[in-house]
Amino acid sequence: MTYDENNIFAKILNGDIPCNKVYEDDYVLAFRDIAPQKKTHILVIPKGKYMDLVDFSTNANTDEIVGFYKAIARIAEDEGLNENGFRSIANSGEFGGQEVPHFHMHLLGGEPVGRMVS
Ligand code: 5GP
C-alpha cells in the first residue's frame, strides 16, 4: 500500500480544506472531529505522510514520534481531558474501522465515554 496524497487529512494539512484547529507545531496538527462522538472529540495527526499506526511507528523518526505523543499530552491537559480521564483510539485498516488513511489518534472525553467496544 502507498500513501494516498488525496486523502481528506492530507487536504486539511495542505490547507485545501479548513479545520477547527486545536493545536499545531512542527510535528502535528490537531483539530475537532467533524462528527464528534463525544462532547470533546479531537483528532491528532502527524504532519508526515503515514498511513496508520504501524507505518508511523515503523517509519517515523524519533523526533516525530516523541513530538506526536508530547503533543497529545499537551492537548489532553489544555482541553481539560486529563482531569477526569479520556480515551485515545487509533483505528487501523479495514478490521479496525479506519476511514481516513492518514494516521490519526482520536481523543474522546469531556463526559464518560462508555464501554471500549460496543
Ligand atoms: P477513522 O474512522 O479513520 O479512525 O476516523 C476518521 C474520522 O475523521 C471520523 O471520526 C470522521 O468524523 C473524521 N472526519 C472525516 N472527514 C473529516 C473532515 O473533513 N474534517 C474533520 N474535522 N473530520 C473529519
Side-chain angles (χ1 to χ4, degrees):
M1 255 178 70
T2 54
Y3 181 82
D4 172 12
E5 300 279 349
N6 290 314
N7 78 76
I8 201 93
F9 292 171
K11 290 180 177 174
I12 286 175
L13 271 174
N14 68 27
D16 286 347
I17 292 178
C19 71
N20 189 347
K21 184 162 76 176
V22 168
Y23 176 80
E24 181 173 15
D25 64 22
D26 288 347
Y27 302 107
V28 311
L29 176 66
F31 50 90
R32 300 196 188 279
D33 197 291
I34 202 167
Q37 301 296 307
K38 291 295 166 197
K39 191 171 173 188
T40 302
H41 187 171
I42 295 166
L43 300 169
V44 186
I45 69 175
K47 289 191 169 176
K49 297 173 180 179
Y50 302 105
M51 295 177 287
D52 56 23
L53 175 63
V54 170
D55 186 21
F56 180 69
S57 303
T58 303
N59 297 310
N61 67 39
T62 303
D63 286 347
E64 289 176 297
I65 293 172
V66 171
F68 185 75
Y69 286 99
K70 291 281 186 189
I72 286 175
R74 178 168 173 175
I75 294 160
E77 290 289 355
D78 289 354
E79 291 289 320
L81 290 169
N82 204 33
E83 193 178 334
N84 293 307
F86 66 101
R87 182 166 295 152
S88 52
I89 300 172
N91 297 319
S92 286
E94 184 186 349
F95 282 13
Q98 182 178 6
E99 293 170 5
V100 180
H102 180 112
F103 174 51
H104 53 280
M105 192 76 80
H106 297 254
L107 305 184
L108 296 152
E111 61 182 328
V113 295
R115 290 169 60 91
M116 189 169 71
V117 178
S118 59

